[in-house]
Structures are given as C-alpha cells and as structure tokens.
Amino acid sequence: QVQLVESGGGLVQPGGSLRLSCAASGSIVAIGAMGWYRQAPGKERELVANIISDSRTNYADSLKGRLTISRDYAKNTVYLQMNSLKPEDTAVYYCNAHVIIQTGSDLEVWGQGTLVTVSS
C-alpha cells in the first residue's frame, strides 16, 4: 500500500559527498517522521538521522556535522546530504517513514536500501 524508494547511492572517494533521496508513494494521508538508517556487513542497523519538521531533526553523534537531512513535504520525499565521507560510512542505507493511511493506522515503512561505498 505504501512504498519507499531510495536513490543516490554509489561509489565515492573518501572526503567526497553524496545526496540520497527517498520518495514515499501510495495511499498516504500523512507522514510523521522520516529518516535514514544504515547497516554495514556484520553490524546492526543503526539510525543515521531523522526529521519530523525543519526544526526537529536528529543525527547520530558520530555523524553530526557531516550530514544534513531535509524534507520536501509536498513530494513526500526526504533527502540526506552526506559530506566528508569516510570508509567506515560504507553501508546499505535504508529509508524509514511513519505513514498514516486511510484507516488511521500508523505504519512503519522501510525502503529496499541503497548501497553507499566509500573507497579510494
């Protein structure tokens, strides 16, 4: 009923930048928080950043200062600008959203993931 589609991943050199996008589609009444998680091989999935409004954002401490999360509310899209990337940032990045559907239910929805590889 609701899908999240990520894009923007790829190969980047250390110190480089990427901008990830995630668009939500389907029978959406409203979206609460949207965010990004990542999972590296052999590690647990972890929060990267999330956003409720432009004035309410949250970043992982280890990534703070290198990230900017933003939303286009009209397009149901969230963006993650990543700068000064390091090899340890290599992971599959997953979009996450809390979506209100017509029944009034609040669904937690995940995208399929986009791979970010930071390597020289």
Side-chain angles (χ1 to χ4, degrees):
Q1 188 172 9
V2 179
Q3 298 83 38
L4 303 178
V5 179
E6 304 102 331
S7 62
L11 176 64
V12 63
Q13 294 185 357
S17 299
L18 284 175
R19 191 187 193 196
L20 306 182
S21 299
C22 172
S25 62
S27 301
I28 300 170
V29 173
I31 300 179
M34 300 187 78
W36 292 91
Y37 292 72
R38 70 182 183 184
Q39 188 167 22
K43 296 185 178 180
E44 297 288 327
R45 187 173 299 188
E46 63 177 349
L47 174 69
V48 177
N50 62 18
I51 180 169
I52 300 172
S53 66
D54 291 348
S55 62
R56 296 186 64 186
T57 58
N58 185 53
Y59 298 94
D61 288 341
S62 62
L63 296 166
K64 193 174 299 182
R66 300 193 290 122
L67 305 176
T68 302
I69 190 168
S70 60
R71 289 176 67 165
D72 185 328
Y73 298 91
K75 295 181 178 180
N76 289 332
T77 299
V78 64
Y79 304 95
L80 183 68
Q81 177 70 43
M82 303 190 293
N83 302 315
S84 301
L85 286 164
K86 305 173 182 179
E88 52 262 44
D89 294 322
T90 296
V92 177
Y93 285 71
Y94 296 92
C95 183
N96 171 271
H98 290 265
V99 180
I100 308 299
I101 60 176
Q102 281 93 336
T103 63
S105 297
D106 185 342
L107 304 179
E108 185 178 36
V109 185
W110 293 90
Q112 66 179 1
T114 184
L115 177 63
V116 172
T117 302
V118 185
S119 176
S120 58

